[in-house]
Amino acid sequence: MRKMWINSREVSGAQPPRTALDPATEEGIGEFAWGNRREAEEAVAAAKAAFPAWRNTPASERAAMLHEVARRMRQNLEALATELTLETGRSIRKNRGYVEWSAQCFDYYAEIGRHYRGRIIPSPEVSQLSVVLKVPLGVIAAIVPWNYPLLLLTWKIAPALAAGNTVVVKPATYTSWVTLGFARYFEHFPPGVINILTGSGVEVGDYLVTHPDVRMIAFTGSTAVGQHIMRQAAAEMKHIHLELGGKDPLIVCADADIEAAARAAVWGGFLNAGQVCTSVERVYVEQEVYLTLLERIVDLTRQLVIGPGIDPESEVTPMIRHEEREKVDYQVKMAEKAGASILTGGGVPPDKHKGFYYAPTVLSEVDENMLVMQEETFGPVLPVAPVNDFDEAMERANRSPYGLGATLFTTEARKVKRYMETIEAGNVWVNDPLIDNLAGPFGGMKRSGIGRELGMEGFEEFLETKHVHWDIEGGIKNWWFPWE
Ligand code: NDP
């Protein structure tokens, strides 16, 4: 059984253990300890006690420990990628890449942490020194979803630890087993600096969010839970960082490379069975090329290999659970009832009796009132709609309350300029969707979240700013009522 990691000790907890499931077989892959408030309290106390010493640890020593995490991950790359595939269902090929990417993230923030502490700004007089000082916040609660359990955690804990904070991690229930396995990459840290808990979101998650000793909640998950966290955090004015859901549009102009746009739509819509926060969830195509693009999308979709993530040939892997698949199917069936056409897919693939598979689905004849065009689907469904022109595509793209990512396919610079300035999304792609860069900030606008991960912005999130004004010579200045 995998245990929780609290204060550098393995903790079983008093509750009965749970069984982790493989979404491709629906069978158990291992047991894990299940926590509650008692372990959460223990973890926060350990993180609080560890904070003063960790904050004062030289940045170079913290950096060395973060580089060591990266080294251990690379050393165990194949085993870690396999475990990620077993519990998330996603492709082993992609998971190998994500382990390497996570290791790079630790290396990146190790170096940022060594080089940044604030800045000195000009003062009115030479005897004065004005310093913008950046200090760590304290205990950070990192709460993450199941779709990218390692990567999304890394984006939080690497900058948080590099900045001098201590961390309590709460993974999603569905990916607790693999996350508890990460403890071995942090064994060289002082006790209490990083703690990994399990337990339900409503109990352990909520407890962390409202705990007075937790200074910040770094959260990735659904918009509904993000809104709840924001309300809960208000009482203590906690720092919050929220990476939430999306309904990303892909706009294809008639002047674009249509083959590239079709491939991008299929890849962006069906990668990880559509369970990506920046999945392509709506396609708007200029009328002149609509039928050509639609036919090509359907053609490419029918060629996709549906299978378990552990098989490197699989392109569309299972969804995480039957319940999530049901939600996706509901949106598809409601759209069909309201007049949409299912061009391919639209249910469980006929040969997949085991595993939570859903066939990659392409819809046409969709309108903006349908749930599938309004709410995040988070499954392998691609609704494609014609538009009269670029203006209409932009207006419909921005009509959504979400603003996480957006993609434009065009060869016209003036359209790119207008799009990049006015599209309401934090991650803006042109002719190349879903690309992240460690040095580039990632995050959403509107109901897709607050704050940014990655880049310098993702480091600043874990720091508090102080403005220090110091008169080095001292003595009486003009603040002593000289006019009286
Ligand atoms: P949820 O919001 O349901 O859960 C996310 C995490 O929050 C889980 O660890 C969950 O625990 C926990 N949680 C649930 N309720 C509470 C609560 N009341 N207080 C504190 N924590 C709580 O999301 P999903 O796990 O279903 O993930 C899918 C969502 O994540 C999608 O909406 C997707 O768009 C979004 N996402 C956003 C990304 C981004 O970068 N913007 C990236 C990836 C996903 P438990 O599992 O135990 O319920």
Side-chain angles (χ1 to χ4, degrees):
M1 179 184 78
R2 294 205 169 163
K3 297 183 180 168
M4 289 175 269
W5 180 250
I6 301 172
N7 214 12
S8 288
R9 278 189 310 113
E10 288 197 325
V11 175
S12 305
Q15 314 234 80
R18 296 218 166 178
T19 303
L21 277 194
D22 177 351
T25 60
E26 305 181 30
E27 282 164 15
I29 50 172
E31 296 212 313
F32 58 92
W34 186 244
N36 62 14
R37 283 167 178 238
R38 209 179 66 188
E39 287 83 32
E41 179 57 49
E42 225 182 288
V44 173
K48 187 184 177 191
F51 176 60
W54 183 245
R55 174 182 51 195
N56 291 331
T57 300
S60 57
E61 284 179 31
R62 290 202 294 257
M65 288 187 231
L66 292 176
H67 284 307
E68 174 61 14
V69 176
R71 193 194 65 76
R72 290 179 183 203
M73 281 183 175
R74 289 191 177 104
Q75 197 179 32
N76 292 292
L77 189 143
E78 197 56 32
L80 188 45
T82 304
E83 285 188 5
L84 283 164
T85 294
L86 283 178
E87 201 174 24
T88 63
R90 63 168 299 146
S91 149
I92 182 83
R93 277 185 8 193
K94 294 301 290 179
N95 278 333
R96 286 184 191 123
Y98 282 114
V99 174
E100 171 54 30
W101 222 72
S102 302
Q104 284 176 23
C105 190
F106 276 99
D107 284 336
Y108 175 77
Y109 281 112
E111 291 309 307
I112 298 265
R114 272 159 51 93
H115 291 109
Y116 185 68
R117 186 84 210 285
R119 66 189 200 276
I120 294 176
I121 56 173
S123 302
E125 294 182 28
V126 283
S127 67
Q128 297 167 340
L129 187 66
S130 281
V131 179
V132 179
L133 188 62
K134 299 285 178 173
V135 295
L137 291 150
V139 179
I140 312 288
I143 303 178
V144 287
W146 43 262
N147 61 340
Y148 290 85
L150 175 64
L151 195 73
L152 296 173
L153 196 57
T154 297
W155 291 7
K156 293 170 179 51
I157 59 180
L161 294 172
N165 302 283
T166 55
V167 179
V168 178
V169 171
K170 208 299 282 167
T173 299
Y174 294 159
T175 44
S176 294
W177 177 80
V178 71
T179 311
L180 291 180
F182 301 159
R184 77 187 88 142
Y185 305 110
F186 297 97
E187 279 166 351
H188 56 294
F189 279 68
V193 169
I194 174 150
N195 307 275
I196 308 177
L197 283 176
T198 57
S200 78
V202 284
E203 184 182 1
V204 170
D206 225 50
Y207 185 74
L208 292 174
V209 170
T210 49
H211 197 297
D213 291 334
V214 172
R215 281 306 309 142
M216 174 179 175
I217 298 108
F219 172 81
T220 299
S222 61
T223 295
V225 175
Q227 287 166 328
H228 173 72
I229 288 177
M230 196 167 175
R231 283 191 288 270
Q232 298 280 79
E236 302 269 353
M237 290 304 246
K238 293 185 188 207
H239 286 239
I240 47 170
H241 171 92
L242 304 174
E243 294 287 353
L244 309 176
K247 191 74 198 165
D248 291 8
L250 169 82
I251 298 173
V252 184
C253 298
D255 59 80
D257 177 337
I258 300 303
E259 178 62 21
R263 284 175 183 270
V266 171
W267 184 67
F270 304 137
L271 176 71
N272 197 18
Q275 302 167 117
V276 184
C277 52
T278 47
S279 283
V280 172
E281 293 232 349
R282 298 175 284 158
V283 185
Y284 297 114
V285 195
E286 278 194 294
Q287 190 77 59
E288 291 160 73
V289 293
Y290 171 68
L291 282 178
T292 315
L293 183 87
L294 188 60
E295 271 173 27
R296 189 65 185 130
I297 286 176
V298 172
D299 182 34
L300 288 168
T301 303
R302 289 193 177 134
Q303 293 172 35
L304 292 171
V305 178
I306 306 172
I310 208 74
D311 179 349
E313 300 304 313
S314 299
E315 289 162 330
V316 179
T317 49
M319 294 190 62
I320 191 81
R321 284 294 183 275
H322 176 64
E323 292 82 342
E324 308 301 320
R325 178 170 65 178
E326 290 281 277
K327 287 184 209 159
V328 170
D329 195 51
Y330 177 76
Q331 285 198 5
V332 170
K333 296 288 146 58
M334 289 297 285
E336 188 182 28
K337 219 168 152 188
S341 299
I342 300 175
L343 302 181
T344 184
V348 176
D351 61 333
K352 296 284 181 250
H353 309 297
K354 270 258 168 160
F356 309 118
Y357 293 95
Y358 196 81
T361 300
V362 181
L363 301 177
S364 66
E365 316 303 322
V366 287
D367 71 56
E368 293 296 328
N369 297 321
M370 294 174 179
L371 208 55
V372 80
M373 293 294 278
Q374 292 189 351
E375 274 309 317
E376 186 179 41
T377 306
F378 222 57
V381 180
L382 208 51
V384 187
V387 288
N388 290 319
D389 52 24
F390 177 61
D391 286 347
E392 186 189 335
M394 285 292 291
E395 188 277 318
R396 286 172 69 171
N398 280 342
R399 214 186 285 171
S400 170
Y402 296 99
L404 189 56
T407 303
L408 172 67
F409 269 82
T410 186
T411 49
E412 286 190 24
R414 73 182 172 82
K415 286 183 188 159
V416 175
K417 182 167 185 303
R418 220 185 96 202
Y419 156 80
M420 64 195 262
E421 282 171 358
T422 57
I423 191 78
E424 292 166 4
N427 308 297
V428 179
W429 294 292
V430 184
N431 296 335
D432 196 8
L434 266 72
I435 298 303
D436 299 328
N437 177 337
L438 276 177
F442 177 98
M445 294 166 65
K446 304 197 282 189
R447 280 191 217 163
S448 291
I450 293 176
R452 293 292 179 270
E453 300 194 294
L454 301 181
M456 272 312 288
E457 289 83 352
F459 188 62
E460 292 267 1
E461 295 274 336
F462 295 97
L463 291 165
E464 187 75 87
T465 303
K466 292 181 182 176
H467 177 200
V468 181
H469 173 86
W470 178 16
D471 191 295
I472 293 157
E473 290 174 5
I476 294 170
K477 298 281 170 176
N478 59 5
W479 37 259
W480 191 247
F481 305 108
W483 56 89
E484 287 202 339

